[in-house]
Amino acid sequence: MDYQFKKIESEWQQFWAENNTFKAENHSTKPKYYVMDMFPYPSGAGLHVGHPLGYIASDIFARYKRLKGFNVLHPMGYDSFGLPAEQYAIQTGQHPAITTEQNIATYRRQLDQIGFSFDWSREVRTSSPDYYKWTQWIFMQLFNSWYNRETDKAEPISTLIQKFEVEGNTSVKAASDDDVLSFSAEEWLTFTDQEKQEQLLKYRLTYLRESTVNWCAALGTVLANDEVKDGFSERGGYPVEQKKMMQWSMRITAYAERLLQGLDTIDWPEPLKEMQRNWIGKSVGAMVRFKVERGENKERGAESEKSDNANPLSAPFLVAGSSLSTPFIEVFTTRVDTTFGVTFVVLAPEHELVKHLTTPDQQADIDAYIDQAKKKSELDRMADTKTVSGAFTGSYVINPLNGNKIPVWIADYVLAGYGTGAVMGVPSGDARDHRFATHFNLPIVAILDTQKEVLKEADATKEGHYINSGFINGMTYKEATAAVIAKLEALGAGKAKINYRQRDAIFGRQRYWGEPVPVYFKDGLPHLIDENELPLVLPEVDKYLPTESGEPPLARAENWKYQNEFEYELSTMPGWAGSSWYWYRYMATKEERAENVFAPKEAIDYWKDVDLYIGGSEHATGHLLYSRFWNKFLKDLGLIEVEEPFKKLINQGMIQGRSSFVYRLFFDINSGRQTYFVSKSVYDKLSNDREYRVDFFTKLGFREEDIPDYILSAQHVDVNLISNDILDVEAFKISNKVDTNAQFVLECGLPIFSFEKRLNEVYRCGHEVEKMSKSKFNVVNPDEMIERYGADTLRMYEMFLGPLEQSKPWNTNGIEGVFKFLRKFWKLFHDDNFNFRVINEAASKAELKSLHKIIKKVEDDVERFSFNTSVSSFMIAVNELMELKCAKRSILQDMVIILSPYAPHICEELWKLLGNEAGTLSYAEFPKFNPEFLVEDAFSYPISINGKTKTNLSIPLSLEPKEVETLVLADENVQKYLAGQTPKKVIVVKGRIVNMVV
RNA sequence: GCCUGGGUGGUGGAACUGGUAGACACGCAGGACUUAAAAUCCUGUUCCCGUUAAAGGAGUGCGGGUUCGAUUCCCGCCCCAGGUACCA
């Protein structure tokens, strides 16, 4: 029989399913091995060719480990809450649960046909109530916990209450909000319940906090950063602004130090760890307080400051242990030694002191600036370092070290969420401060004798001795830092401080399709529902849109009240909630899931942690950090044992897509909004060519002086509507919901001829290589590949594409070669008429050499996750055995075992043809490598002159370098290249190379 | 901007610890088999110069450096991709 992959593959897939071949046991005498993949979000576009890359790698590894005698847990599930399903629901009115169910069915079909060895009995779905019951349960544990810095772990909130009752909060060392009041035990006891709860909320590991969101008034909703482009909504192009909103947060910062330390104990790619370290961003420095100079802002601050408790000018004093009575601006700096060089202070435009520091003269300037800053996203603000902007508040502060009066500015390069939302400007040492000072004509003072030309350029050196710096003049960096901190502490104007860049994570979305937060509100304060009321099931709503008043979709649920009385929390949990603990749910068997725990203790004790986790590096600072955080928290509660959940992690590179773009041009005219889609070359010319632009608008009927303001932007378009970069305009019109009256300007430009077909009368799209994702409309799925070549070919081809960890755009150029290889492998077992021809003869030396070369190679390659190189080696081995006309069982049977993790279907079939019991291949024993078969006695030395290879010479490997040198120099051919010269030096590296220097 | 990764023939890539650059494939060209096609097999294929063959020269994004020897190590740039806190 010829190689009939379709028949073979469907038969074996059915066999595995029916016989539960890959079901993992929670009890075994074998050593355990837990191989996990990052589970997919079941997108409507189906599984794309990028997903299987990591899954194939982990499947090869899992199958390899079974052959090596391990009890392997290799599960799969779905991260099934998310924005795209909800977006689809908004457009179609379909319940996201239904579309999600359909998408999962598609994913499952696609996964099944690739032949993965998953234990499907342990599948999880984050959107199913029996799963998210436990996500909500963990949320409740977080709400009921605080972080004790003395024991360095989370503890029940009841222990905090006990402390408050005995000693108040002044001596408590806890992770908390910045604005906690100090109170004594007596004061605590006089608090009402309401007041007590308010205080406790500042300590809970999940708590309410005001944070900034992208608010789109036209859509009446909050947008993800992903959905905002250049300050406008990606859908519809409506303006977006930054707005503050009360939100649930997770106090991940409490764990910053442990998250940092833990990195040293796990086997993860160094760059990934580095990303997490940078994200956590530990910096050792100091807080410095600059007193506000009174009198400059007499109308406001001065009179209200004493009596009015709500006056924000007094807000910063609400720091535990502080008794200062003058308003100040607090900054964090890592270069406290440069305090004498401070010539201005900059606040974030959102800083709460801004409105109180602004003098009447400056009011207009400041208002205009704040207005403009609101329109920019944080990312835009960080990214744009070229343009300097800012506004003067009119107020001044006093430098605590030299008493200098320093102006207070606002600028958008200072971000409210970072540090204290204020920085001290040291233009001589910091490039950004320098640009700011130069632009606004602020003084620049050198503070180190090694700084050169500070008027021209900032110099961040720590070398040399201080100048212009009062009592630290003449000191070195180390001495000065210590001296300044000591002085600031003595003055009560600052203290040493370790700062983390990481912020507490926002834990809420103003959306429908997510886990409901198990919280209701009573008298404006959050309370947990009862544990036995879990899961709090997502209620039905009539529409998946926000309400008219801008509340989240859950506000639409009718009669949805806790005990028919109290408002539930209306936001839902973010995408990362369900994925932050799922590896524990996999540990529970189907039967064990009926028990009232997230996973049984014995199962957790047995599987402990994930031995190998494979997934994309795009999750480096999101999912992987949150998961480590929740894991540490669960450990603090004593529910699990390990500090780190993922022992070893491999990043598979992304299979990128080739995205296509259309170019949308729109502007407002008297009769409303007009939209055009312009072709690629028209877009290029409109962007770069002024004359063309004028001509273009003239043709549209505008006079040169009346050309309207317009927005020209690139927009993703579905790659399935495109062939060779040409857009199917009619199909696009149907799929594009927003601009029904849009017009199309084709390659030929204006005017549009519609009656005559010509070459340029097409709409040409632009393109870019970027990640494959539904939102970028560039998804390619594996079904067609499997239909044409089969799963074994797809599996091997995805590995053959290149190193697992590297990103690459998808292309199918080489797939024929892999397919040919499998057919050759099949032919090795059959004669020309496809009769099985394997014989029981003793293997030759050459055959054994080929076999043991590949055993060694595959072992080495799998252990270091270099799957692409083993595919090449398999090809070489099969080419060699073909050449040798090898048909011997002792060789071929081992070949089947070695290849089976990569191409399991064809190997199962051949295993059966070889006379073995069906299905036993998965648990066969991996062949033992014997180095004796690879011993060589001679090596063909490359002979080079000045590093350039000239010829080769075969020399016995037993010879020592001196003997090799003699032999080489005696060679006629070598003498020809030397042309009579005597080498100055001869380098011989045994078994490697001979190099002569002349 | 900042953090992280990458850049080698026409294409995907190999070269594992500084030791023959281009393994293995794809594609292309030529040939065999065939009435023909598909499939299969054989030969060639980094570039330039030359060409019956040979012999030269250049070459791993760009510019420098260390070394007997650099795709590999160091310094400075350019380009591409991922992340940048509400895509997952």
Side-chain angles (χ1 to χ4, degrees):
Chain A
M1 189 177 60
D2 195 358
Y3 171 44
Q4 296 183 339
F5 60 85
K6 269 189 198 163
K7 183 166 171 285
I8 294 175
E9 291 180 359
S10 66
E11 277 175 14
W12 284 104
Q13 282 161 13
Q14 203 180 337
F15 179 93
W16 295 329
E18 283 169 2
N19 292 279
N20 296 317
T21 307
F22 306 113
K23 195 168 189 306
E25 297 301 333
N26 281 5
H27 304 280
S28 170
T29 51
K30 293 177 182 177
K32 70 103 187 182
Y33 204 91
Y34 188 173
V35 185
M36 191 171 84
D37 296 284
M38 289 185 187
F39 60 169
Y41 172 78
S43 135
L47 196 72
H48 64 65
V49 289
H51 287 118
L53 185 72
Y55 303 161
I56 293 166
S58 66
D59 197 58
I60 290 171
F61 203 83
R63 286 174 179 273
Y64 173 81
K65 279 287 175 186
R66 283 192 201 99
L67 297 177
K68 285 282 188 179
F70 287 85
N71 181 32
V72 174
L73 174 57
H74 185 37
M76 182 46 78
Y78 306 97
D79 190 11
S80 45
F81 272 134
L83 225 49
E86 178 154 353
Q87 194 49 42
Y88 190 74
I90 291 170
Q91 282 165 11
T92 63
Q94 276 245 50
H95 196 291
I98 297 169
T99 49
T100 299
E101 185 76 29
Q102 289 164 352
N103 293 348
I104 286 177
T106 306
Y107 268 57
R108 178 62 192 273
R109 180 184 58 73
Q110 291 178 307
L111 288 169
D112 279 346
Q113 63 184 8
I114 301 174
F116 292 121
S117 64
F118 294 130
D119 176 357
W120 281 109
S121 69
R122 296 174 188 249
E123 183 203 280
V124 301
R125 300 177 183 192
T126 56
S127 64
S128 101
D130 65 328
Y131 181 89
Y132 69 67
K133 168 180 177 173
W134 296 105
T135 310
Q136 291 171 332
W137 184 81
I138 294 171
F139 175 93
M140 292 172 74
Q141 309 312 308
L142 284 155
F143 185 85
N144 276 331
S145 300
W146 66 291
Y147 199 86
N148 187 341
R149 291 212 184 280
E150 267 167 330
T151 56
D152 209 16
K153 58 189 270 200
E155 291 181 11
I157 200 87
S158 55
T159 64
L160 183 65
I161 297 171
Q162 278 165 20
K163 280 181 185 280
F164 287 172
E165 285 170 352
V166 178
E167 47 189 293
N169 74 344
T170 44
S171 60
V172 168
K173 289 212 169 80
S176 69
D177 290 4
D178 296 331
D179 62 342
V180 289
L181 282 165
S182 356
F183 51 79
S184 64
E186 294 72 37
E187 285 171 310
W188 170 259
L189 293 170
T190 63
F191 285 172
T192 63
D193 264 1
Q194 175 91 3
E195 285 166 335
K196 282 179 181 169
Q197 289 306 323
E198 275 170 26
Q199 291 312 309
L200 288 172
L201 195 53
K202 296 174 193 288
Y203 291 88
R204 296 181 189 277
L205 290 184
T206 181
Y207 63 100
L208 283 164
R209 186 181 69 163
E210 198 168 60
S211 36
T212 313
V213 296
N214 301 308
W215 176 250
C216 180
L219 295 171
T221 187
V222 173
L223 296 178
N225 289 336
D226 213 43
E227 301 172 297
V228 183
K229 224 188 156 194
D230 307 323
F232 291 87
S233 64
E234 197 153 47
R235 286 188 306 277
Y238 303 108
V240 173
E241 66 169 76
Q242 305 298 304
K243 189 179 149 186
K244 293 217 165 183
M245 195 178 253
M246 263 311 195
Q247 301 244 56
W248 286 98
S249 277
M250 287 281 166
R251 214 178 290 283
I252 189 173
T253 49
Y255 284 86
E257 193 60 37
R258 276 166 70 185
L259 288 167
L260 199 58
Q261 299 306 325
L263 289 173
D264 297 333
T265 68
I266 48 184
D267 184 7
W268 287 19
E270 203 44 54
L272 182 65
K273 292 202 223 175
E274 197 56 27
M275 268 196 255
Q276 291 210 346
R277 285 191 193 106
N278 290 329
W279 183 267
I280 295 165
K282 180 178 182 173
S283 49
V284 180
M287 303 295 282
V288 183
R289 289 169 181 172
F290 291 81
K291 281 181 190 165
V292 174
E293 160 89 339
R294 320 310 302 270
E296 291 292 331
N297 53 337
K298 36 196 170 294
E299 293 86 40
R300 287 155 216 263
E303 69 207 31
S304 51
E305 145 239 6
K306 272 185 201 124
S307 53
D308 185 359
N309 225 3
N311 175 8
L313 260 188
S314 58
F317 313 147
L318 300 177
V319 174
S322 152
S323 59
L324 292 172
S325 57
T326 324
F328 54 80
I329 291 171
E330 188 158 49
V331 304
F332 176 78
T333 175
T334 53
R335 286 295 302 273
V336 71
D337 59 300
T338 64
T339 308
F340 281 98
V342 176
T343 56
F344 56 96
V345 164
V346 190
L347 302 179
E350 302 89 346
H351 198 287
E352 55 182 356
L353 285 183
V354 172
K355 53 181 178 282
H356 301 278
L357 290 175
T358 305
T359 57
D361 287 355
Q362 295 300 112
Q363 194 70 49
D365 272 13
I366 292 283
D367 287 349
Y369 190 76
I370 291 175
D371 218 45
Q372 171 225 305
K374 258 192 195 161
K375 290 181 189 138
K376 285 208 240 171
S377 74
E378 220 169 72
L379 186 57
D380 293 338
R381 284 167 56 169
M382 283 188 287
D384 185 8
T385 52
K386 301 248 156 56
T387 45
V388 179
S389 69
F392 179 45
T393 60
S395 287
Y396 294 83
V397 291
I398 302 298
N399 186 325
L401 296 186
N402 59 14
N404 284 357
K405 196 167 135 184
I406 301 166
V408 178
W409 287 65
I410 65 171
D412 62 13
Y413 76 86
V414 181
L415 303 174
Y418 282 21
T420 60
V423 301
M424 58 186 217
V426 187
S428 57
D430 182 278
R432 217 174 32 181
D433 294 345
H434 194 276
R435 271 195 295 274
F436 195 81
T438 314
H439 189 263
F440 291 112
N441 241 328
L442 296 160
I444 298 168
V445 182
I447 45 160
L448 279 158
D449 56 8
T450 43
Q451 284 178 327
K452 294 188 184 86
E453 310 215 42
V454 290
L455 290 182
K456 258 197 209 146
E457 199 180 11
D459 183 353
T461 184
K462 293 174 182 172
E463 307 290 314
H465 301 271
Y466 289 83
I467 53 170
N468 299 326
S469 295
F471 66 93
I472 58 167
N473 276 341
M475 288 187 191
T476 61
Y477 171 72
K478 258 196 155 163
E479 297 162 349
T481 301
V484 169
I485 288 175
K487 182 78 171 181
L488 287 170
E489 279 176 2
L491 291 170
K495 56 173 190 263
K497 164 122 201 218
I498 292 170
N499 204 45
Y500 297 92
R501 197 179 72 97
Q502 179 177 40
R503 293 178 251 165
D504 277 342
I506 295 168
F507 195 77
R509 301 287 179 271
Q510 323 306 309
R511 300 287 178 164
Y512 177 74
W513 192 231
E515 299 87 347
V517 178
V519 159
Y520 66 91
F521 286 87
K522 189 173 160 186
D523 304 322
L525 275 177
H527 295 270
L528 292 179
I529 67 170
D530 212 70
E531 248 181 48
N532 58 34
E533 291 166 314
L534 289 177
L536 173 60
V537 178
L538 199 53
E540 295 300 316
V541 292
D542 59 338
K543 274 194 257 176
Y544 305 98
L545 287 168
T547 63
E548 278 71 32
S549 53
E551 283 188 300
L554 286 188
R556 294 177 175 274
E558 275 182 52
N559 304 320
W560 194 55
K561 290 263 164 68
Y562 183 65
Q563 294 173 345
N564 290 320
E565 187 180 353
F566 305 108
E567 284 285 351
Y568 277 119
E569 168 62 48
L570 296 177
S571 63
T572 50
M573 296 190 196
W576 55 270
S579 58
S580 295
W581 69 279
Y582 72 115
W583 61 98
Y584 286 114
R585 194 59 171 171
Y586 284 142
M587 292 179 186
T589 62
K590 208 172 179 179
E591 301 73 43
E592 289 165 345
R593 288 184 189 178
E595 297 170 26
N596 202 25
V597 280
F598 64 96
K601 186 95 180 72
E602 311 82 74
I604 294 172
D605 285 349
Y606 178 70
W607 293 109
K608 285 197 178 68
D609 50 12
V610 177
D611 294 283
L612 174 66
Y613 193 21
I614 294 189
S617 64
E618 69 271 27
H619 299 283
T621 50
H623 162 62
L624 289 173
L625 211 48
Y626 299 134
S627 292
R628 294 180 59 221
F629 158 44
W630 277 31
N631 191 81
K632 287 174 196 301
F633 172 69
L634 293 174
K635 186 197 174 203
D636 288 351
L637 295 193
L639 297 166
I640 58 156
E641 280 182 33
V642 295
E643 175 81 5
E644 291 291 339
F646 314 127
K647 227 187 296 186
K648 179 172 181 66
L649 186 134
I650 294 286
N651 284 131
Q652 99 261 20
M654 204 169 309
I655 298 270
Q656 291 152 329
R658 191 173 183 278
S659 307
S660 293
F661 294 90
V662 291
Y663 301 96
R664 190 225 295 260
L665 167 74
F666 65 95
F667 45 83
D668 291 322
I669 46 177
N670 295 339
S671 51
R673 168 168 295 200
Q674 182 59 54
T675 301
Y676 289 88
F677 285 99
V678 303
S679 192
K680 177 78 166 72
S681 65
V682 178
Y683 168 78
D684 289 342
K685 282 184 268 184
L686 274 176
S687 319
N688 303 319
D689 185 341
R690 217 194 94 79
E691 265 176 52
Y692 185 90
R693 199 151 50 213
V694 172
D695 183 54
F696 184 91
F697 280 96
T698 314
K699 280 179 177 159
L700 287 180
F702 291 95
R703 281 181 305 175
E704 192 170 340
E705 56 278 19
D706 295 336
I707 291 178
D709 289 338
Y710 62 88
I711 291 168
L712 182 56
S713 64
Q715 179 187 322
H716 283 91
V717 58
D718 191 340
V719 290
N720 296 305
L721 301 176
I722 286 157
S723 112
N724 292 325
D725 290 336
I726 307 298
L727 177 71
D728 181 338
V729 174
E730 291 312 313
F732 178 69
K733 274 184 185 164
I734 295 164
S735 71
N736 182 51
K737 306 266 183 327
V738 187
D739 303 280
T740 43
N741 299 317
Q743 302 213 32
F744 290 77
V745 181
L746 308 180
E747 276 295 275
C748 49
L750 288 167
I752 306 160
F753 297 95
S754 55
F755 42 86
E756 186 189 342
K757 265 278 173 234
R758 42 166 81 194
L759 194 63
N760 282 337
E761 210 178 308
V762 291
Y763 189 98
R764 185 173 294 278
C765 299
H767 63 85
E768 240 169 72
V769 168
E770 53 186 1
K771 75 194 261 190
M772 203 178 273
S773 116
K774 201 189 173 193
S775 67
K776 301 192 189 311
F777 301 106
N778 58 3
V779 174
V780 182
N781 82 44
D783 294 14
E784 199 190 318
M785 296 290 116
I786 291 176
E787 174 65 24
R788 255 176 90 185
Y789 301 103
D792 285 337
T793 298
L794 178 83
R795 289 170 67 104
M796 292 198 82
Y797 179 62
E798 290 226 11
M799 294 299 100
F800 189 59
L801 266 179
L804 179 64
E805 308 201 46
Q806 229 167 70
S807 295
K808 51 236 154 196
W810 176 250
N811 79 81
T812 52
N813 289 345
I815 198 164
E816 285 284 346
V818 174
F819 185 56
K820 273 190 217 165
F821 158 76
L822 286 175
R823 294 176 56 139
K824 272 193 209 168
F825 187 63
W826 182 262
K827 279 187 76 178
L828 213 46
F829 295 73
H830 296 83
D831 63 23
D832 289 347
N833 300 314
F834 291 108
N835 297 311
F836 197 68
R837 62 152 198 179
V838 174
I839 49 172
N840 290 316
E841 260 176 43
S844 71
K845 212 178 159 195
E847 289 165 340
L848 284 166
K849 189 176 168 186
S850 280
L851 175 67
H852 284 264
K853 225 164 58 182
I854 189 77
I855 296 174
K856 175 100 175 74
K857 180 72 176 154
V858 169
E859 272 183 351
D860 289 353
D861 283 354
V862 171
E863 302 285 351
R864 66 195 170 99
F865 303 94
S866 174
F867 301 106
N868 57 322
T869 48
S870 23
V871 177
S872 297
S873 305
F874 278 124
M875 290 174 171
I876 294 169
V878 167
N879 286 346
E880 284 171 357
L881 293 174
M882 280 292 238
E883 189 88 346
L884 294 166
K885 300 195 165 47
C886 174
K888 292 163 189 163
R889 174 182 306 273
S890 59
I891 300 291
L892 295 185
Q893 175 142 320
D894 278 354
M895 282 296 291
V896 166
I897 301 173
I898 306 165
L899 183 65
S900 67
Y902 292 78
H905 309 87
I906 189 174
C907 289
E908 285 273 18
E909 188 70 16
L910 291 168
W911 182 252
K912 199 178 76 180
L913 286 173
L914 284 164
N916 300 290
E917 192 191 331
T920 54
L921 175 60
S922 297
Y923 296 92
E925 192 187 339
F926 198 84
K928 291 263 181 304
F929 169 62
N930 184 348
E932 278 168 35
F933 296 115
L934 301 190
V935 176
E936 301 272 356
D937 32 49
F939 175 72
S940 173
Y941 279 89
I943 312 299
S944 52
I945 295 173
N946 291 337
K948 289 274 174 196
T949 309
K950 295 294 176 186
T951 183
N952 280 57
L953 209 55
S954 184
I955 297 168
L957 276 162
S958 55
L959 296 190
E960 292 305 311
K962 264 288 159 214
E963 302 169 284
V964 173
E965 182 177 335
T966 317
L967 220 61
V968 168
L969 287 174
D971 188 79
E972 234 177 82
N973 208 11
V974 173
Q975 280 304 324
K976 198 178 82 195
Y977 284 106
L978 283 171
Q981 301 174 79
T982 314
K984 288 187 202 128
K985 197 173 170 188
V986 179
I987 293 118
V988 177
V989 183
K990 201 176 168 184
R992 288 250 189 229
I993 200 170
V994 177
N995 188 22
M996 288 175 282
V997 188
V998 294

